[in-house]
Amino acid sequence: MQQSRYEYLSETEGLRHVRRVTWDRHDVSRAAIKQDLLYSLGAFSTVCEIKRNDGAYRLARIRAGAELDPGARASAFTSNPQSDDEVLDSDEAIAFEGQDVIRYSRDRILARIREEYAGHALQDLVAAILRAEGMKCKVQPKGADGGVDIIAGSGVLGISSPTIIVQVKSQDTRVGSEVLDQLSGVVGQHHADHGLLVAMGGLTAQAQLKVDVQRLRVAVWNAEEVLNRLLEHYELMPDEVKRMIPLRKAWLIDESDVV
């Protein structure tokens, strides 16, 4: 991101103190950035220097086209900030000084999901969510699955319409259009009504275009959608899920519309 000099917009209502920005990239998902750097990017200050954990180098790599945050280099100093002027870009600042607590909490839950449901295990969480939404699910065993991770359906036998073929991709990298082509083929082969692709790292631009064309046939859940549905149905989750991802409700004052 590049920014201009400070400007004051005297004839504009609301926010008048501005800097114009040019975004270098629009396709970087939150899943591509490691948790420690996300904390710094959510810093209390609108404009700040990211110093912790080799942040400048990592952001430069992403800006240059890297698909994933490379993490701090071995030679970099990775401890917490020591001086007062660095405190604002620490995770403690986000947690305790009031900057978007909801985003902070969601990132913590997503990190737990990735830790506890890495790889093939994510199928079990997706199946639990689908069951909470009224579907009957059969999770395919680990190994060669022919492009089918979960078969979901309605009715007593779980084969009534709508029927869904689900593919689950737990990696943080974006999924390409070839995966959608495979899913569409498997949906047709099994005479299913719909396909669902769970892609924790999101989609490439080309894959997103294909989804837009097939939106009545194929749906996609990214990491944020998985989290939304988990939170919506958390009370219906089996005890095993609640043990792996222990959550409790907290009420906050919504100050977004407070004048």
Side-chain angles (χ1 to χ4, degrees), residues 4-9 16-20:
S4 70
R5 290 178 173 272
Y6 161 80
E7 297 180 47
Y8 178 74
L9 306 180
R16 297 180 176 180
H17 305 275
V18 302
R19 289 180 184 265
R20 301 182 188 277

Side-chain angles (χ1 to χ4, degrees), residues 210-230:
K210 286 199 172 185
V211 170
D212 293 341
V213 172
Q214 304 178 57
R215 65 184 62 188
L216 298 180
R217 181 79 168 176
V218 175
V220 177
W221 292 358
N222 60 13
E224 293 291 335
E225 184 63 20
V226 171
L227 176 55
N228 288 341
R229 290 173 184 267
L230 171 65

Side-chain angles (χ1 to χ4, degrees), residues 6 17 45 64 69 79 93 102 129 141 159-160 186 194 196 202 212 214:
Y6 161 80
H17 305 275
S45 297
D69 171 12
S79 66
I102 294 176
I129 293 172
I159 57 176
S160 300
V186 173
H194 305 287
L196 170 62
D212 293 341
Q214 304 178 57

Side-chain angles (χ1 to χ4, degrees), residues 17-175:
H17 305 275
V18 302
R19 289 180 184 265
R20 301 182 188 277
V21 300
T22 300
W23 295 101
D24 296 309
R25 291 188 62 181
H26 300 267
D27 60 344
V28 180
S29 70
R30 294 183 68 86
I33 301 175
K34 296 183 185 298
Q35 194 67 51
D36 62 323
L37 188 53
L38 280 177
Y39 290 153
S40 291
L41 292 176
F44 186 73
S45 297
T46 302
V47 179
C48 64
E49 181 179 359
I50 306 300
K51 300 178 180 179
R52 301 173 69 247
N53 296 353
D54 214 12
Y57 161 77
R58 294 159 65 182
L59 290 173
R61 287 289 304 276
I62 294 171
R63 178 183 176 186
E67 188 164 322
L68 293 176
D69 171 12
R73 292 169 290 184
S75 59
F77 181 67
T78 58
S79 66
N80 287 332
Q82 300 299 313
S83 59
D84 292 341
D85 63 348
E86 293 184 66
V87 169
L88 287 180
D89 77 341
S90 70
D91 51 348
E92 290 86 356
I94 292 91
F96 302 114
E97 293 194 35
Q99 176 72 6
D100 203 346
V101 175
I102 294 176
R103 182 68 262 172
Y104 172 83
S105 298
R106 288 176 67 89
D107 286 342
R108 291 290 302 276
I109 300 170
L110 281 171
R112 178 63 71 92
I113 290 174
R114 290 190 173 93
E115 178 183 348
E116 300 292 350
Y117 289 97
H120 187 268
L122 185 61
Q123 296 178 189
D124 296 328
L125 178 61
V126 172
I129 293 172
L130 288 171
R131 290 182 182 115
E133 295 188 346
M135 305 296 289
K136 294 185 183 297
C137 297
K138 178 181 179 181
V139 178
Q140 300 297 91
K142 185 176 181 179
D145 52 29
V148 179
D149 292 320
I150 302 169
I151 299 175
S154 305
V156 176
L157 300 178
I159 57 176
S160 300
S161 185
T163 51
I164 306 171
I165 298 296
V166 186
Q167 280 192 9
V168 180
K169 303 296 182 183
S170 62
Q171 66 266 29
D172 290 335
T173 52
R174 287 173 290 163
V175 170

